[in-house]
Amino acid sequence: MKKALIVTAIGGFLPQFELNDVKILQDYGFQVHYASNFTNNVYSLDQAELKNKGIHLHHIDIEKSPFAARHNMRAFQQIRKIIREENITLVHCHNPVGALVGRLAAHYSKEKPYTIYTAHGFHFYKGAPLKNWLFYYPVEKWLARKTDLLITINREDFERGKKFQLKSGGKVERIYGVGVDMKKFRKKQEKNLYYRKKIGIPAGAFHIVTAAELNENKNQKVVIEAIKLLGRKDVYYTICGKGKNKERLEKMIREYGLEKQVKLLGYRTDIADILQTADCFAFPSIREGLGIAAIEALAVEVPLLVADNRGTKEYTKDDYNGIVCEAGDAVGFKNAIERLYTDYSYRGFLSRHCREIAERFSVEATDKVMRRIYGEVASKLRGEVLLRAEENGRQAVSCFCEQAEEKTEGSAVS
């Protein structure tokens, strides 16, 4: 049986984003293994549920920070051991550190499995800090030589990835994220008053929603600043997610006196229902590879309020399905919120153009590409197995003939 190993630095990443890929791999006859750090997850993780789906779990000591050298070196050895003991033939890596450690382990293993890296947004991009270019770019360029297939999720990364030198026969592909379930994220109905009450949003209030990890890059603070500048008591902001910036955001909310209006709900599994209560979806990230949460909002016909970055450019058209602002411009965000708040017809115009764009990023669209990719990999691996078998067969025949000749010569001498 062919065996695939998925490697991430974040334990909850696979159940949150990669279950469709798991199903496709299993359809192609792969036994799926998953190696990650299963502690301190950003996303929820039910190990029993993953095992019920036929996924073999391996805890490794990997850390999200590239500077946690001791932990990540241990993870490198642990992944090599998994590859060796499980006879892994395909390694698929996600997250920058997961890709660093996973690809190195695959490269320096005796088995030399086929290696894929899905880049969910390079840390080097147009306008990125110089330190990102000085550190991440040369590392990624070097690691590309140890990669059979590089998968990107936006146009800018795809064009840059094509300039890298991959392993012999390697190539770069582009997909549209992990795919949105258009059935789950259905068209918006009337305001869901039951869910509004459940999460503490008044029936007539203007409701902004964000779903993202609480960190500096996701930049929720600019929306909080904008609401403070706006000064309207019936504008509410719900932030779904968890992360290291929670206490900082809570302090900011208290200092601005916005405890009643801004709510940190933590990690949620009911985003599809919460989006039904939203008047707009804020996605103010400084850097974004794509941003599946924003596309889910589009599927529910919720207009976007986004920061201008390579990810949001993939699906946001200013004054068509959302409003685009500069990431650090709190006044710009305030003006955008005010326009959406006061101009109901404009909001309706934006809503009507949301779902048509989300369709391009559906699960079906992504699965179609991934089925082709995994199918090609499966065929390649099957071909390599046949070649090895053929070579072993030739060696066996050659050995047999040599032994036969030796016996014949021995008989003639006697």
Side-chain angles (χ1 to χ4, degrees):
M1 173 181 281
K2 301 185 296 292
K3 295 183 179 181
L5 174 65
I6 297 174
V7 179
T8 74
I10 305 168
F13 192 87
L14 182 144
Q16 180 74 9
F17 298 113
E18 297 300 322
L19 286 179
N20 288 329
D21 282 1
V22 169
K23 179 64 167 60
I24 295 170
L25 283 168
Q26 290 172 335
D27 287 346
Y28 276 113
F30 283 90
Q31 183 185 88
V32 178
H33 293 248
Y34 180 35
S36 190
N37 189 327
F38 298 133
T39 63
N40 194 28
N41 294 298
V42 175
Y43 311 104
S44 65
L45 174 69
D46 186 335
Q47 294 192 35
E49 181 181 356
L50 294 181
K51 290 176 181 177
N52 286 337
K53 293 181 182 296
I55 303 170
H56 298 253
L57 304 182
H58 306 271
H59 173 81
I60 56 176
D61 296 318
I62 195 167
E63 292 290 338
K64 189 176 179 181
S65 169
F67 304 108
R70 184 166 56 89
H71 288 88
N72 292 330
M73 180 58 71
R74 193 154 57 236
F76 165 79
Q77 298 294 354
Q78 290 166 334
I79 295 171
R80 286 185 66 193
K81 182 179 179 183
I82 295 167
I83 292 172
R84 181 178 68 253
E85 293 183 350
E86 298 292 345
N87 193 25
I88 299 295
T89 52
L90 166 63
V91 173
H92 192 160
C93 306
H94 301 266
N95 317 131
V97 175
L100 167 67
V101 179
R103 282 184 286 180
L104 287 178
H107 178 75
Y108 289 106
S109 69
K110 181 181 178 182
E111 292 71 19
K112 295 291 187 292
Y114 190 91
T115 306
I116 303 175
Y117 171 37
T118 297
H120 296 271
F122 289 138
H123 279 60
F124 46 91
Y125 51 92
K126 292 177 182 176
L130 179 60
K131 63 180 181 179
N132 288 32
W133 283 96
L134 292 175
F135 179 75
Y136 289 103
Y137 178 74
V139 170
E140 185 57 51
K141 187 176 180 180
W142 175 67
L143 283 171
R145 296 172 179 267
K146 299 164 176 50
T147 308
D148 292 289
L149 175 61
L150 173 63
I151 301 175
T152 61
I153 62 172
N154 61 61
R155 188 178 296 106
E156 181 181 324
D157 287 355
F158 177 66
E159 294 302 325
R160 183 160 288 115
K162 288 194 297 184
K163 297 176 183 178
F164 291 149
Q165 182 179 338
L166 276 67
K167 289 171 67 174
S168 177
K171 63 178 181 177
V172 182
E173 293 273 6
R174 180 186 172 195
I175 61 172
Y176 295 96
V178 297
V180 173
D181 185 343
M182 301 298 288
K183 295 177 182 177
K184 177 181 178 182
F185 293 90
R186 62 198 184 282
K187 291 183 179 181
K188 192 173 182 182
Q189 310 300 312
E190 295 182 10
K191 281 186 179 179
N192 191 322
L193 298 182
Y194 165 75
Y195 241 81
R196 281 202 161 211
K197 183 177 180 180
K198 183 176 180 179
I199 61 177
I201 307 298
F206 183 84
H207 187 205
I208 307 167
V209 173
T210 288
E213 183 180 351
L214 308 183
N215 60 39
E216 285 297 313
N217 176 61
K218 297 302 183 181
N219 197 31
Q220 294 94 342
K221 65 181 182 181
V222 76
V223 181
I224 298 173
E225 291 171 0
I227 293 172
K228 172 64 176 176
L229 292 172
L230 188 63
R232 294 185 181 273
K233 298 298 183 183
D234 58 345
V235 173
Y236 283 69
Y237 183 30
T238 294
I239 304 173
C240 303
K242 64 179 184 178
K244 62 184 180 181
N245 262 25
K246 181 182 178 182
E247 291 183 3
R248 192 175 303 176
L249 292 176
E250 288 176 334
K251 181 180 178 182
M252 185 180 189
I253 293 165
R254 287 194 303 271
E255 289 177 350
Y256 286 172
L258 296 174
E259 294 95 329
K260 291 184 179 180
Q261 293 173 250
V262 181
K263 301 177 180 297
L264 303 181
L265 297 190
Y267 179 79
R268 305 287 297 208
T269 59
D270 56 350
I271 295 297
D273 293 309
I274 291 175
L275 286 173
Q276 289 287 330
T277 75
D279 294 297
C280 83
F281 184 87
F283 208 54
S285 302
I286 298 168
R287 172 187 60 82
E288 200 64 59
L290 187 65
I292 202 69
I295 302 171
E296 290 170 349
L298 289 177
V300 186
E301 300 181 326
V302 177
L304 300 182
L305 175 56
V306 305
D308 187 15
N309 59 59
R310 66 192 155 146
T312 58
K313 284 178 181 176
E314 295 289 311
Y315 48 78
T316 309
K317 295 183 179 179
D318 195 33
D319 279 335
Y320 184 78
N321 66 343
I323 300 177
V324 181
C325 303
E326 292 300 318
D329 185 7
V331 174
F333 274 92
K334 185 269 287 186
N335 293 338
I337 294 170
E338 188 161 31
R339 185 176 184 189
L340 291 166
Y341 172 90
T342 58
D343 194 339
Y344 182 81
S345 61
Y346 175 67
R347 200 160 77 231
F349 169 81
L350 298 180
S351 295
R352 287 193 292 275
H353 297 113
C354 289
R355 193 169 171 91
E356 67 182 64
I357 292 179
E359 292 281 359
R360 305 174 193 171
F361 302 86
S362 68
V363 168
E364 290 77 14
T366 298
D367 279 7
K368 184 177 180 180
V369 179
M370 288 307 302
R371 283 191 179 277
R372 174 180 59 78
I373 289 173
Y374 280 143
E376 291 173 358
V377 173
S379 296
K380 180 179 177 62
L381 293 176
R382 187 160 53 246
E384 290 178 354
V385 170
L386 291 174
L387 284 173
R388 282 198 297 270
E390 185 177 338
E391 178 62 25
N392 291 338
R394 283 198 297 267
Q395 291 177 357
V397 170
S398 176
C399 182
F400 175 80
C401 291
E402 289 175 0
Q403 292 175 352
E405 288 177 1
E406 290 175 359
K407 289 181 180 180
T408 302
E409 292 174 359
S411 298
V413 171
S414 60

